[in-house]
Amino acid sequence: MRQKYGQNFLTDNNIAHSIVNIADLKKNDRILEIGPGKGILTKIIQPRVKWLTAVEIDTKLYRQLSYYFSFLNIKNIKIINKDFLKYDLMSMNSNTIVKNFNLNNNFKVISNLPYTIGTAIIQKILPSKNWTTSIFMLQKEVAQRITAQPYSKNYGYISIFASYYATCEILFDVSPKCFNPSPKVISSIVKLTNKKAKHPESIFFNFIKHVFNMRRKIISNGLSSFENLEKKHAINILKSCGLNPFLRPDNLSILDFMNLTKEIQRYRICRAQNLFF
Ligand code: SAM
């Protein structure tokens, strides 16, 4: 058992069908599956869609699954033996073997993720082009962080990142008994729908990451350390966005962070031009 790859295989066929059904698959759909493992989801998805690309890190599982589909002479699937986190998604555009899976076409993502890399995969998929719906099985705590709202203890960088790019809903929980071996945690099925938001300026996520790294501190302290500013200037910037300088990062909505980072940029311009602030 390769526990380093988070290999808890789903064994409950009803749950597997429920997960795939959420994706509302159509004959013309192109699907990306991350970590197909022994193929419980793969075998349900493949007959229902135009094209399925599945990326599996484990060479033994990759060989077994490739053999299964090639033995049956099934042509609408490509299994790739790669670490998805290191995989250059753009190479799917140029690779002729996976020409049916082109990032210039819309695609859906379905994945029972290894728990340890769930948030990393989400950060890779969500900003990429042309995905429409993603169905992820995640550790329940991670699902709760992704869908958390301001003023809750789970609200943080990944909640804002996910809700910037997608609408996020937790659909149902899956008991550890549905896997072999059983994980120590409960899983949740999460559905993400692409909002097609354009990428924000880098300051937006950099600032949010910075202030949540010191989430117990008031926002004026986070801002003054981020911009290397005197406290009174940080307070002025916050006040001009209508924000109380004594709030903590988890009291700010995504819109507050958008307004605030715009104001920081305006301040930078004034400072560069030596204008009175
Ligand atoms: N989808 C299968 C299922 O539902 O039974 C397997 C799920 S298991 C939790 C996670 C799978 O992801 C394993 O097959 C594992 O080898 C694979 N995996 C782990 N890390 C990966 C990575 N970085 N890139 C691609 N696959 C990975």
Side-chain angles (χ1 to χ4, degrees):
M1 185 62 52
R2 311 284 297 276
Q3 271 307 329
K4 69 171 174 163
Y5 293 144
Q7 291 177 340
N8 301 95
F9 299 105
L10 185 64
T11 49
D12 185 315
N13 257 306
N14 290 332
I15 297 283
H17 278 273
S18 303
I19 294 170
V20 175
N21 287 343
I22 294 163
D24 188 25
L25 298 180
K26 305 276 187 281
K27 274 278 162 233
N28 257 340
D29 277 346
R30 292 170 173 82
I31 308 297
L32 170 64
E33 187 188 359
I34 307 156
K38 296 182 179 176
I40 186 167
L41 300 174
T42 326
K43 290 171 191 170
I44 303 170
I45 300 165
Q46 173 274 322
R48 299 196 192 172
V49 298
K50 182 179 175 99
W51 186 261
L52 170 57
T53 294
V55 183
E56 172 57 58
I57 197 169
D58 186 313
T59 305
K60 195 168 156 218
L61 291 173
Y62 154 79
R63 287 208 184 111
Q64 283 169 356
L65 209 53
S66 302
Y67 178 76
Y68 172 87
F69 286 106
S70 66
F71 181 76
L72 295 175
N73 203 21
I74 288 169
K75 303 279 188 214
N76 67 333
I77 181 164
K78 173 72 186 165
I79 302 164
I80 297 170
N81 185 203
K82 284 255 178 345
D83 178 344
F84 182 75
L85 289 176
K86 295 189 186 144
Y87 190 57
D88 174 13
L89 283 177
M90 292 317 288
S91 69
M92 287 182 174
N93 279 348
S94 51
N95 190 332
T96 51
I97 307 168
V98 287
K99 63 180 183 305
N100 281 302
F101 191 96
N102 186 318
L103 290 181
N104 292 323
N105 294 318
N106 285 344
F107 66 97
K108 293 176 178 170
V109 184
I110 302 181
S111 182
N112 172 4
L113 296 173
Y115 296 130
T116 46
I117 59 169
T119 54
I121 287 184
I122 282 173
Q123 288 180 76
K124 182 161 179 153
I125 290 290
L126 265 54
S128 69
K129 274 204 325 176
N130 291 339
W131 69 275
T132 54
T133 308
S134 289
I135 313 298
F136 290 129
M137 168 125 62
L138 296 164
Q139 184 178 342
K140 184 171 181 164
E141 282 71 23
V142 175
Q144 285 171 332
R145 284 200 280 126
I146 283 169
T147 53
Q149 299 298 314
Y151 288 89
S152 77
K153 71 174 177 13
N154 288 323
Y155 183 66
Y157 174 77
I158 196 69
S159 334
I160 299 172
F161 183 92
S163 76
Y164 181 86
Y165 287 110
T167 51
C168 314
E169 339 162 45
I170 297 181
L171 297 181
F172 57 90
D173 290 346
V174 183
S175 151
K177 288 187 208 137
C178 300
F179 299 87
N180 186 23
S182 291
K184 291 194 175 64
V185 295
I186 297 173
S187 307
S188 299
I189 304 298
V190 177
K191 180 179 179 185
L192 306 178
T193 309
N194 196 344
K195 287 182 178 169
K196 308 268 179 200
K198 72 175 181 42
H199 295 307
E201 304 233 15
S202 56
I203 183 178
F204 179 67
F205 287 131
N206 289 344
F207 178 67
I208 293 168
K209 209 175 258 175
H210 177 87
V211 294
F212 276 103
N213 276 338
M214 39 199 286
R215 65 182 290 142
R216 308 289 310 151
K217 297 227 164 114
I218 56 174
I219 191 72
S220 50
N221 285 347
L223 174 53
S224 72
S225 64
F226 181 74
E227 275 300 283
N228 201 13
L229 280 180
E230 275 183 53
K231 193 78 183 285
K232 64 177 183 193
H233 291 315
I235 290 173
N236 280 342
I237 293 173
L238 286 157
K239 282 188 173 162
S240 54
C241 299
L243 290 170
N244 179 339
F246 292 100
L247 291 173
R248 296 184 198 276
D250 56 339
N251 304 140
L252 271 63
S253 68
I254 189 163
L255 195 63
D256 292 331
F257 279 112
M258 281 174 177
N259 292 337
L260 185 50
T261 45
K262 265 190 208 133
E263 195 57 28
I264 298 171
Q265 284 173 306
R266 203 179 68 82
Y267 173 80
R268 282 180 182 178
I269 294 168
C270 292
R271 192 164 55 174
Q273 294 174 352
N274 273 329
L275 295 176
F276 176 72
F277 181 77

